[in-house]
Amino acid sequence: QVQLVESGGGSVAAGGSLTLSCTASEGTFTKYAMGWFRQAPGKEHEAVAAISAGGSLKYVDSVKGRFTISRDNAKNTLSLQMTNLGPADAAMYYCAACGELWYKCVLMLPSVFPHWGQGTQVTVSS
């Protein structure tokens, strides 16, 4: 079972940028579609972005043009570059590995992502 560890969270002023990273424990990382999710206090998990094993991308509308998901298969690493952050982006961010084919993973439903990291906190001050 792949294990995921996020890093890179922190506190930033509105309009600022952060880059999150997620490192996977095993080489089979390359076979997984991967996603970033976030959860604000009192709210459900919200999909942010996903990337297929081959590099196809999907973003939720609220982050399009501001966030960039990428992966480095040689380093078993997933990244999320976040720019122009606002208070609505403040949340715990999780990376997750999808256990299905891309046509299911692209829907970004948490139920098809069985492997999750522990999360990294992003705080945005206005």
Side-chain angles (χ1 to χ4, degrees):
Q1 177 173 330
V2 63
Q3 295 185 339
L4 305 170
V5 179
E6 301 94 336
S7 61
S11 182
V12 63
S17 301
L18 279 175
T19 297
L20 307 182
S21 295
C22 171
T23 301
S25 63
E26 61 177 60
T28 55
F29 168 81
T30 59
K31 300 180 181 180
Y32 291 99
M34 300 294 297
W36 285 99
F37 294 80
R38 62 189 181 187
Q39 187 176 28
K43 295 187 176 181
E44 299 290 325
H45 280 100
E46 177 191 20
V48 175
I51 184 168
S52 73
S56 297
L57 306 177
K58 174 72 173 182
Y59 296 95
V60 65
D61 287 346
S62 62
V63 307
K64 283 181 179 178
R66 299 190 299 121
F67 289 15
T68 302
I69 188 172
S70 62
R71 65 191 298 161
D72 185 338
N73 289 335
K75 296 182 179 180
N76 288 355
T77 301
L78 177 75
S79 297
L80 184 69
Q81 293 178 285
M82 306 185 294
T83 64
N84 195 21
L85 286 161
D89 298 311
M92 184 72 80
Y93 281 72
Y94 300 89
C95 70
C98 183
E100 302 289 345
L101 296 176
W102 177 239
Y103 79 95
K104 290 185 179 181
C105 302
V106 73
L107 301 177
M108 296 194 290
L109 298 173
S111 59
V112 298
F113 288 77
H115 310 293
W116 291 70
Q118 293 300 305
T120 186
Q121 183 70 46
V122 172
T123 303
V124 183
S125 58
S126 57

